[in-house]
Amino acid sequence: MQLTYWTEHAWLGTHVEPGVALDVSDGRITSVRTGVDTPPPGTVPLRGLTIPGLANAHSHAFHRALRGTVQVGSGTFWTWREVMYQVASRLTPDTYFALARAVYAEMALAGITAVGEFHYLHHAPGGAPYADPNAMGEALIAAAGEAGIRITLLDTAYLSSGFGAAPDPHQLRFSDGTAEAWAERAAGLKERDGVRIGAAVHSVRAVPADQLSTVAQWAADRQAPLHVHLSEQTAENDACLAAHGRTPTRLLADHGVLGPRTTGVHNTHLTDEDIALLGSSGTGTCMCPTTERDLADGIGPAVALQRAGSPLSLGSDSHAVIDLLEEARAMELDERLRSRTRGHWTATALLRAATADGHAALGWPDAGRLESGALADFTTIALDTVRTAGPVPRLAAETAVFAASAADVRHTVVGGRHVVRDGAHCLIPDVPRALTDSIAALHR
């Protein structure tokens, strides 16, 4: 398929350029032509600001069913987790497919073109494998395909309730028993068009130290992304120090988990040595500010991590909201609150975290840029809504990051195909109904 998209304004990685034509063939951008003031005949016009597709580097699709219910009352991460377990216990491959399809469609409506699904809900309740041991993972892959976005399935090792303790009843369906058994099952997942397969260590709580290297080696053998929840809670740090006499970051380093294909998710409560270990190894950091604030986790040292050499990406995690523009500005605004100074990242730097660096963390290094040879994945943000109207076009990147929301996304294109057109999903006509029905099905 060959066609041309004409963008009224395009963010080209360093600046906003008016009148840019993106020629697309076989799912990739073949040329980027500037100075095209009006849409030539036969082109597809995209009015507003077109940026590379957003990468949601950390998702738990089933957490979307918690939205609203876990905002009632008070509590901590640990009380929230009990509610999450109840939802997890009700999912089947069919109901998970329906829910994830709706959630990924919501992501497409928010301009997200690739998702990193941190997937640990592997087996039936009680822990018995399905006839297809990867039925739940395949349901997620199929859901992303039907919603029109790319997926990196980060198949997750989750073996323990805490530092070698057996899984509790809620966690039995997460566990393969050993890292070797996890690796054997995960090897059955195959990459295909629009799909990457990666690995994850749920946390140092959930994978015994002597099995961390098995997961790391599985990812290394495949040159696959490897993600890990890291130091999200001070309680995890305290328990790790008690069990191993070292921080979670040092434990991961000692077992070969850190490195440039690895991303630590949250990285909230770190020592100076932890930051140096992550930065010097090139290990990435995925910040999830809307979840971190929703769960009262804390504000991670993102500035120090980036300065140390840790690339930053962004995720919506528990989907308190699905809005990568909000995640981007929240990282800056949270740091302002913590430091009482402004301007830690430019709009360009925040967009890079939400696009190119997020895609790289998910194993899509050829996405996240509007340039020849890149995947033709991009999204257009309206510049004429009540949130975005007013600023001059050259400030469109600042407007998008600091004022726009997912509601301002007008177009999402994945592999050259329109998935969202004029704010409507082209493949799933009623996403709100799909969300309502799939969540209601979990409570019948």
Side-chain angles (χ1 to χ4, degrees):
M1 178 179 66
Q2 297 184 356
L3 73 162
T4 298
Y5 287 93
W6 176 83
T7 70
E8 185 179 24
H9 304 280
W11 179 69
L12 298 182
T14 57
H15 67 287
V16 174
E17 182 78 22
V20 177
L22 303 174
D23 297 318
V24 173
S25 179
D26 296 327
R28 292 185 178 270
I29 299 171
T30 55
S31 68
V32 178
R33 294 181 284 125
T34 59
V36 185
D37 295 335
T38 59
T43 62
V44 181
L46 302 176
R47 297 196 178 274
L49 173 67
T50 297
I51 64 175
L54 301 169
N56 190 352
H58 189 66
S59 163
H60 302 290
F62 76 91
H63 289 189
R64 175 62 177 81
L66 300 170
R67 187 184 295 178
T69 61
V70 291
Q71 276 71 46
V72 176
S74 60
T76 66
F77 168 86
W78 307 102
T79 55
W80 169 90
R81 191 174 71 157
E82 293 305 312
V83 180
M84 179 269 288
Y85 284 156
Q86 293 301 319
V87 171
S89 70
R90 302 185 188 112
L91 286 159
T92 67
D94 288 342
T95 58
Y96 206 4
F97 165 79
L99 175 60
R101 176 178 177 266
V103 174
Y104 296 152
E106 182 182 356
M107 291 186 192
L109 288 168
I112 292 164
T113 56
V115 60
E117 184 60 39
F118 199 102
H119 167 57
Y120 55 81
L121 194 54
H122 301 306
H123 307 299
Y130 290 103
D132 174 359
N134 286 308
M136 295 294 268
E138 291 293 346
L140 292 165
I141 290 170
E146 291 210 6
I149 68 172
R150 303 183 193 276
I151 186 170
T152 297
L153 188 74
L154 297 160
D155 196 278
T156 303
Y158 193 135
L159 309 172
S160 168
S161 63
F163 298 98
D168 69 26
H170 292 302
Q171 297 164 338
L172 289 172
R173 69 182 311 191
F174 307 162
S175 178
D176 292 291
T178 66
E180 289 76 13
W182 165 83
E184 182 178 357
R185 179 189 51 73
L189 292 161
K190 304 301 180 186
E191 295 190 346
R192 64 208 81 163
D193 188 36
V195 179
R196 296 278 185 273
I197 304 299
V201 170
H202 179 273
S203 57
V204 295
R205 301 190 316 274
V207 177
D210 62 358
Q211 299 185 59
L212 290 169
S213 61
T214 300
V215 183
Q217 189 61 51
W218 188 96
D221 290 345
R222 293 160 175 78
Q223 293 295 291
L226 174 61
H227 288 215
V228 54
H229 290 132
L230 179 57
S231 289
E232 182 179 5
Q233 298 291 325
T234 55
E236 175 183 283
N237 290 356
D238 294 343
C240 188
L241 286 166
H244 298 291
R246 64 199 80 179
T247 66
T249 301
R250 170 53 73 183
L251 187 69
L252 295 174
D254 290 348
H255 289 275
V257 176
L258 303 185
R261 285 180 296 94
T262 300
T263 297
V265 181
H266 304 302
N267 293 1
T268 307
H269 303 285
L270 302 177
T271 66
D272 290 344
E273 182 192 19
D274 293 339
I275 293 169
L277 283 169
L278 293 166
S280 64
S281 63
T283 301
T285 294
C286 179
M287 302 295 290
C288 305
T290 66
T291 290
E292 289 150 6
R293 71 192 185 198
D294 185 53
L295 298 181
D297 286 343
I299 300 170
V303 172
L305 282 160
Q306 188 170 53
R307 286 175 179 165
S310 179
L312 300 179
S313 56
L314 298 164
S316 63
D317 192 1
S318 68
H319 313 313
V321 297
I322 294 177
D323 188 339
L324 263 288
L325 298 173
E326 172 64 20
E327 303 294 346
R329 72 170 152 266
M331 187 164 69
E332 165 68 23
L333 298 182
D334 284 355
E335 187 61 29
R336 291 182 187 186
L337 286 174
R338 191 167 73 103
S339 66
R340 291 183 290 175
T341 59
R342 303 175 75 231
H344 303 279
W345 293 277
T346 63
T348 287
L350 293 169
L351 282 176
R352 188 174 300 118
T355 57
D357 290 346
H359 281 96
L362 296 178
W364 300 96
D366 50 352
R369 302 181 303 280
L370 298 182
E371 60 184 48
S372 182
L375 291 169
D377 298 357
F378 37 88
T379 188
T380 303
I381 300 161
L383 296 177
D384 58 358
T385 73
V386 292
R387 288 167 293 278
T388 60
V392 295
R394 67 180 175 81
L395 297 177
E398 286 76 10
T399 303
V401 171
F402 290 104
S405 76
D408 299 310
V409 170
R410 289 295 174 266
H411 302 279
T412 302
V413 174
V414 182
R417 178 179 69 161
H418 240 124
V419 175
V420 172
R421 186 190 299 267
D422 295 321
H425 202 288
C426 300
L427 306 175
I428 302 171
D430 191 344
V431 177
R433 173 53 57 187
L435 286 162
T436 298
D437 290 348
S438 61
I439 292 170
L442 302 180
H443 301 285
R444 290 175 186 152

